[in-house]
Amino acid sequence: MNDTTPTLPRVTDWRALDADARAALLRRPTARLAAAVDTAVRRTLAQVRADGDGALRALTRRYDHVELDAIEVSADEFARARTEVPPDLVRALEEAAARIEAWHRAGMAGEFEIETAPGVRCGRLLRGIRRVGLYVPAGSAPLPSTALMLGVPARLAGCREIVACSPPRADGRVDPVVLTACAIAGIQRVFRIGGAQAIAAMAYGTGSVPACDKLFGPGNAYVTAAKQMVAQETGGPAIDMPAGPSEVLVIADAQANPAFVAADLLSQAEHGPDSQTIAISDDRALLERVARELETQLATLPRADIAAQALDASLLLHVGALDDAFAISNDYAPEHLILQLREPEAWLDRVAAAGSVFCGDAAPEALGDYCSGTNHVLPTAGTARALSGVSVASFQTAISVQHVSPAGLAAIGPCALRIAAAEGLAAHARAISIRLDAENAR
Amino acid sequence: MNDTTPTLPRVTDWRALDADARAALLRRPTARLAAAVDTAVRRTLAQVRADGDGALRALTRRYDHVELDAIEVSADEFARARTEVPPDLVRALEEAAARIEAWHRAGMAGEFEIETAPGVRCGRLLRGIRRVGLYVPAGSAPLPSTALMLGVPARLAGCREIVACSPPRADGRVDPVVLTACAIAGIQRVFRIGGAQAIAAMAYGTGSVPACDKLFGPGNAYVTAAKQMVAQETGGPAIDMPAGPSEVLVIADAQANPAFVAADLLSQAEHGPDSQTIAISDDRALLERVARELETQLATLPRADIAAQALDASLLLHVGALDDAFAISNDYAPEHLILQLREPEAWLDRVAAAGSVFCGDAAPEALGDYCSGTNHVLPTAGTARALSGVSVASFQTAISVQHVSPAGLAAIGPCALRIAAAEGLAAHARAISIRLDAENAR
C-alpha cells in the first residue's frame, strides 16, 4: 500500500489513491499486546486492591528490581534532590512553569449567575477536584516536563490534595529532576511507584497512597490499560484521557524549510517505534527534500534505532492543493499539527480537529512540549475529534446551582408542570404543585 | 444495617453508626444484571457493525416489535408531529428551550490569546465537535426534555451535524412530542432506533445513520453499557459520561416543610426502583414528619409501585449538626443536592461535589429537570467528585495554538533545549537548535 523503503518513507501521491487505500494509509495501528497487557494489568489491580502497600512493595521488587523502604518521598529527599539539579536546569524548569501558569490561568473558566426568569437565578460554581493523582513516567528517560504540565493546572484549579507517582530508579530514588519539577509545580506528595501498580494505588488507596478522584498522565501500555480499567469500575476514579502513541502532522508549502520539517518529524519519531509522523504538501519537490533530510539527520541521532522504526510507518503525502491537506488532517485529527506555511494564521479557520497547533517556521512542536505555555498532555489516536488537551478545567468540576423565590416558582412552575405531564411523571409535577398550592394558600 | 420497614424508610441516627456502617449505608448498589447485559450488548454491537441498517431493522423487530420502513424520520413526519402536539405544550417546550439557551450561553468558554514571552503568542481555539449523536429515551415515557437538554447546547457549540436516535412506538413512529422538542432544540436528523443498537449505529455508522464523534444521553442499562463499550474501542466515539440511576440528597433544617422534602424524594423515586433518595437533617422530628408525608403522598402516586421500591433503600439520616450533613453529601457526591435551609446561599461554600444544587424551599429538583435553564444530564454514582453535568463545553473541543516568531524562538528556545537535554531527547533539541542556527546564520 505505502511504498516505503525499509526505514525511510518515500513520497505518496494522494491523488493516485482510491478511498479505501486512503483510509488504510491513515488508519492508526491497534495495540498488538492488548490481550497479554490486559491479563497482567488485571492481576496487578487485584493484587494492589487486596494487599495495598504490601503489593506495591512486591510489584516494585518484581518490575523495578528495587526493594522499597518508604513508599513516599520524604521532605529531606525533596530538599536533597533540589541540590543535585544543576542551577541552570532549575531555572529552566521555573521559567517553563511560569509560562505554563500564565497560559493556563488565562484560559480558566469563571463562575457566573444569570436570571433566567424573574425570581430564578441560575449559576455555576467551580470546584477543584479534591484529590488528584498524577502519573509522571520515567522509563527510558525521566519526564520532569510532565510534572509541570500536570501539577501547574492542578494547583491553579484549587485541588486540595495533589499527589504523584513516578517509578524508582535502580537506587530506589525518584529522579531528582522529576522531584524538583514536582516541587516547582506544587505537587504535594510523591510516591516511588510506577506502572499499573501506581494507577491501582491512586485508584483504590493503600496505607501510604491516598485514593484519588481523578487520575492524569501519560504512560506505557500497562499504565494506559490500568487507567481505563479503574475508570470503568463502579466508584472508580475519572481519568484525563486515553493516551496512545504520540503523533505529529506537518502541513508544509513550497517555501517551507525541508530541514525543519524533517527535524519535527524526527522529534516525534524518537518518542517510540509506534510514533505517528505525517508530512503533507502541495509541493512534491519539498517532500523529496524532506525525505533526504530525514536520512541525513537520522544518521546522527542517539535514538536513531527507535526513530527509524517509527519512520518506517511515516507518510509523506503529496496533495493537489493545501485544502486537501487540511481535509486529511481534520479526518485524522492529529495530536500535534505544525503549519509550516507562509501565512499560517490565515489557515487556522480550516483546523477542525487537532490537539495543539504550531504556526510558522519558528514553532517546532518541541516548544509546546516544554515551555511555550500550552499543555503537552493532548488527545491522540484520533480522539482530538472529540477531546481536548489537559487544562485547568480538567482539574475542576462545574456545579450548576439554582436559587428560586416563590415568585420565580410562580413564573416557571407552570412550564415545568406542562412538560412533566407530557412525560407522565406525576411526582415531578407534585413537587411543584404542592409548593404552588402552599404559596397560594398563604 | 438500615432498619427500614419493607417499603418506607425510618430515621437512622448517624451518630450511632461506626465508620464501616456509615460507608455501607452510603454505598451505591452495583448493577446486578451486568454479565447478562454485557453479553447481549456485545452481540448487538457486533451485529450492527457487520450488517448496518439490516441489523437495525432486525433488532428493532426483535426488541421493539416494529417493522421499520424508513429508519430516518422524514421532514413530513416532523411537520405532522408538530400539528399533533397541543399548542400549550409546544409553548412550554419553547419557553424551556429559551431558558436553557440563556443559561448555557452565559457559561460558554471563549477563545483567547496571550503573549507568554516576547514573540510567543499562545491561545485557544474552540470548535464544535463535528458530528454528535444524541440518545433520547422513550421507554416507560418519552422524554422530550432530554432532547432540549442535549440539542440546545449542541447547537450553541456550533456542531455541524446533530443527530438523534429515539426508540419507535408500537406504531413505528417516534413520539411526536419528542420530535417537536428535537426540532425546537435544533437537532437536524432523527432516527427511529432505540437501545444498544442506537448507540452502535451512531458509533459505527450505517447506510442510514452517520458515524458520530461523540455520543450523549441517558438510557437504560443496555444503552449505558453500549456507550461505555464503544468508547473503549480504538477509533470509537467519546461519550458524555457514564449514566447511573438518578439520585437526590436533601439537606433540611428544622424549619423545612416536610411535605416539600417528601415530594422531592418521591419525584426522584418515581424514576425507577434503583433511584437513590436521601434526606439529612439535624432535626429528628422533621425527618419523622418526612417519613409520614412519604407514606401519605405515596398512596396517591400513579407510579407508586416504582417509587415504593426506590424508597425501600431510601435513607433519612439524623445528624448532630448541618456541618455533618455537608460532609456526608460531599463524600457521597449526589447528582442532585437540595438545600431546604433558611439561608442556603450561606452554605454553598461547603458544597465540594454535586451535580446540581437547588437552593431554598421554592426550588424543587423538578424545575432543573425541565426549565430553570440548567442541564439535567448530570453525573451520578459518585462521579460528581470528578465530573460535571453536560454544558456547551461538552460539545466543543479546545485546540491550543502557538505563534512563534524568530525572536520568540530565541527567547524561549534555550529553556526548551535545557529541559530536552535533561530528558535525553536529542531530536527534540535539534528541532529547536537547527532553527536557531539557521537564524544566527542569516
Side-chain angles (χ1 to χ4, degrees):
Chain A
M1 183 73 58
N2 176 16
D3 55 342
T4 57
T5 66
T7 52
L8 288 172
R10 284 200 277 164
V11 178
T12 301
D13 184 354
W14 185 251
R15 288 164 300 185
L17 304 175
D18 64 17
D20 284 349
R22 290 174 173 185
L25 212 54
L26 293 176
R27 194 168 294 137
R28 267 100 168 167
T30 47
R32 269 169 249 158
L33 291 170
V37 169
D38 195 88
T39 306
V41 170
R42 278 184 205 287
R43 202 182 312 122
T44 296
L45 296 182
Q47 192 173 343
V48 174
R49 193 196 267 277
D51 296 335
D53 284 345
L56 297 182
R57 288 180 210 283
L59 291 161
T60 301
R61 193 178 305 125
R62 187 189 312 161
Y63 293 121
D64 303 295
H65 314 293
V66 166
E67 199 65 48
L68 280 185
D69 187 13
I71 291 173
E72 183 167 358
V73 173
S74 68
D76 280 354
E77 283 174 280
F78 269 106
R80 176 178 163 202
R82 179 73 167 241
T83 66
E84 292 170 344
V85 180
D88 67 323
L89 180 51
V90 173
R91 278 195 302 274
L93 293 170
E94 288 173 340
E95 188 189 320
R99 277 193 295 274
I100 293 167
E101 176 164 341
W103 185 81
H104 285 76
R105 190 183 289 283
M108 285 175 71
E111 301 191 336
F112 72 90
E113 185 177 284
I114 63 163
E115 198 173 62
T116 58
V120 181
R121 290 180 291 120
C122 295
R124 173 175 70 192
L125 308 173
L126 295 175
R127 297 286 184 263
I129 295 172
R130 282 200 286 179
R131 292 166 295 248
V132 295
L134 318 180
Y135 188 76
V136 182
S140 51
L143 295 181
S145 57
T146 297
L148 300 182
M149 293 293 176
L150 298 176
V152 169
R155 172 166 49 81
L156 291 175
C159 298
R160 270 197 268 162
E161 287 186 52
I162 307 173
V163 308
C165 285
S166 196
R169 302 187 304 189
D171 67 357
R173 297 180 61 204
V174 172
D175 181 86
V177 187
V178 166
L179 283 186
T180 299
C182 287
I184 290 170
I187 295 169
Q188 299 151 341
R189 305 173 68 188
V190 177
F191 303 90
R192 46 184 124 243
I193 304 290
Q197 56 273 28
I199 301 304
M202 295 191 287
Y204 308 137
T206 71
S208 299
V209 185
C212 295
D213 299 313
K214 189 169 180 180
L215 307 185
F216 295 79
N220 61 21
Y222 295 85
V223 169
T224 299
K227 279 172 65 185
Q228 293 192 282
M229 284 182 201
V230 297
Q232 292 285 309
E233 295 173 3
T234 304
I239 60 172
D240 51 352
M241 67 185 87
S246 197
E247 305 163 348
V248 71
L249 190 151
V250 182
I251 300 179
D253 59 17
Q255 283 82 53
N257 184 325
F260 296 179
V261 176
D264 287 344
L265 297 178
L266 286 167
S267 76
Q268 202 61 41
E270 79 171 338
H271 272 300
D274 49 4
S275 294
Q276 306 287 300
T277 57
I278 301 176
I280 312 179
S281 181
D282 57 351
D283 186 64
R284 188 175 180 103
L286 182 274
L287 293 170
E288 304 284 5
R289 286 195 296 273
V290 169
R292 285 194 295 276
E293 274 289 338
L294 283 172
E295 194 160 8
T296 310
Q297 294 187 27
L298 182 65
T300 56
L301 268 192
R303 291 162 72 102
D305 53 335
I306 292 175
Q309 288 178 68
L311 287 180
D312 193 33
S314 178
L315 297 176
L316 303 177
L317 296 181
H318 178 218
V319 293
L322 289 178
D323 280 337
D324 301 327
F326 282 90
I328 294 168
S329 177
N330 287 332
D331 283 342
Y332 184 78
E335 181 188 16
H336 304 102
L337 173 61
I338 301 181
L339 304 181
Q340 296 198 29
L341 303 173
R342 288 328 91 198
E343 294 189 346
E345 278 79 358
W347 290 94
L348 281 179
D349 281 352
R350 311 288 184 96
V351 178
S356 192
V357 186
F358 298 78
C359 291
D361 288 335
E365 184 228 304
L367 293 181
D369 287 342
Y370 295 123
C371 67
S372 67
T374 61
N375 207 289
H376 81 195
V377 181
L378 296 165
T380 55
T383 58
R385 292 179 202 116
L387 301 181
S388 313
V390 161
S391 69
V392 176
S394 312
F395 293 91
Q396 290 180 321
T397 59
I399 301 174
S400 59
V401 56
Q402 36 256 298
H403 311 269
V404 185
S405 71
L409 182 68
I412 71 170
C415 172
L417 283 174
R418 187 64 190 87
I419 304 176
E423 294 189 353
L425 293 175
H428 281 61
R430 188 188 283 161
I432 296 163
S433 61
I434 198 171
R435 286 165 161 101
L436 289 172
D437 292 348
E439 196 58 33
N440 291 336
R442 274 178 182 241
Chain B
M1 183 73 57
N2 176 16
D3 57 341
T4 58
T5 65
T7 52
L8 289 172
R10 284 200 277 166
V11 178
T12 300
D13 185 355
W14 185 252
R15 288 165 300 186
L17 303 175
D18 64 16
D20 284 349
R22 290 175 174 185
L25 211 56
L26 293 176
R27 194 168 295 136
R28 267 97 168 168
T30 47
R32 270 168 248 158
L33 292 171
V37 169
D38 195 87
T39 307
V41 170
R42 278 186 205 285
R43 202 183 310 123
T44 297
L45 296 182
Q47 193 173 341
V48 174
R49 193 196 266 275
D51 296 336
D53 284 346
L56 296 182
R57 287 179 211 285
L59 291 161
T60 301
R61 193 179 304 125
R62 187 191 310 163
Y63 293 121
D64 302 296
H65 315 293
V66 167
E67 199 63 49
L68 280 185
D69 188 14
I71 290 172
E72 181 167 0
V73 173
S74 70
D76 281 354
E77 285 174 278
F78 269 106
R80 177 178 162 201
R82 180 73 166 241
T83 66
E84 291 171 344
V85 180
D88 67 324
L89 180 51
V90 173
R91 279 194 302 274
L93 292 170
E94 289 173 339
E95 190 188 319
R99 277 193 294 274
I100 293 166
E101 176 165 341
W103 185 80
H104 284 77
R105 190 183 290 282
M108 285 174 72
E111 301 190 336
F112 73 89
E113 185 178 284
I114 62 163
E115 198 174 62
T116 57
V120 181
R121 291 180 290 119
C122 295
R124 174 175 70 193
L125 308 173
L126 295 174
R127 296 287 184 262
I129 294 172
R130 282 200 288 179
R131 292 165 297 247
V132 295
L134 319 180
Y135 188 76
V136 182
S140 52
L143 295 180
S145 57
T146 297
L148 300 182
M149 293 294 176
L150 298 177
V152 169
R155 173 165 50 80
L156 291 176
C159 298
R160 271 198 267 163
E161 286 186 53
I162 308 173
V163 308
C165 285
S166 195
R169 302 187 305 190
D171 67 357
R173 299 179 61 203
V174 172
D175 181 87
V177 186
V178 166
L179 282 186
T180 300
C182 286
I184 289 170
I187 295 169
Q188 298 151 342
R189 304 174 69 187
V190 177
F191 302 90
R192 47 184 124 242
I193 305 289
Q197 56 271 29
I199 300 305
M202 296 191 286
Y204 307 137
T206 70
S208 298
V209 184
C212 295
D213 299 313
K214 189 170 180 180
L215 307 185
F216 295 79
N220 61 23
Y222 295 85
V223 169
T224 299
K227 279 172 66 185
Q228 293 190 282
M229 284 181 202
V230 297
Q232 293 285 309
E233 295 173 4
T234 304
I239 60 172
D240 50 352
M241 66 185 87
S246 198
E247 307 163 346
V248 70
L249 190 152
V250 183
I251 299 178
D253 59 17
Q255 284 81 53
N257 184 325
F260 295 178
V261 176
D264 287 344
L265 296 177
L266 285 167
S267 77
Q268 202 61 41
E270 78 171 338
H271 272 300
D274 50 4
S275 293
Q276 307 285 300
T277 57
I278 302 175
I280 312 180
S281 180
D282 56 353
D283 186 65
R284 188 175 180 103
L286 183 272
L287 292 170
E288 303 283 6
R289 289 195 294 273
V290 169
R292 286 194 294 276
E293 274 288 338
L294 283 173
E295 193 160 7
T296 310
Q297 293 186 28
L298 182 66
T300 57
L301 268 192
R303 292 162 72 101
D305 53 336
I306 292 174
Q309 289 178 69
L311 288 181
D312 194 33
S314 179
L315 297 176
L316 303 176
L317 296 182
H318 179 218
V319 292
L322 289 179
D323 280 337
D324 301 329
F326 282 89
I328 294 169
S329 177
N330 287 332
D331 284 342
Y332 184 78
E335 181 188 16
H336 303 102
L337 173 61
I338 301 181
L339 304 181
Q340 296 198 29
L341 303 172
R342 288 329 89 198
E343 293 188 349
E345 279 80 358
W347 291 93
L348 281 179
D349 281 352
R350 311 287 184 97
V351 178
S356 192
V357 186
F358 299 77
C359 291
D361 289 335
E365 184 229 302
L367 293 181
D369 286 341
Y370 294 123
C371 67
S372 66
T374 61
N375 207 289
H376 80 196
V377 181
L378 296 165
T380 56
T383 57
R385 291 178 203 116
L387 301 181
S388 313
V390 161
S391 69
V392 175
S394 311
F395 294 90
Q396 290 179 319
T397 58
I399 301 174
S400 59
V401 57
Q402 38 254 298
H403 312 269
V404 185
S405 70
L409 182 67
I412 72 171
C415 173
L417 284 174
R418 187 64 191 87
I419 305 177
E423 294 189 354
L425 294 174
H428 281 59
R430 186 189 284 161
I432 296 163
S433 62
I434 197 172
R435 287 166 161 99
L436 288 172
D437 293 348
E439 196 59 34
N440 291 336
R442 274 176 182 245

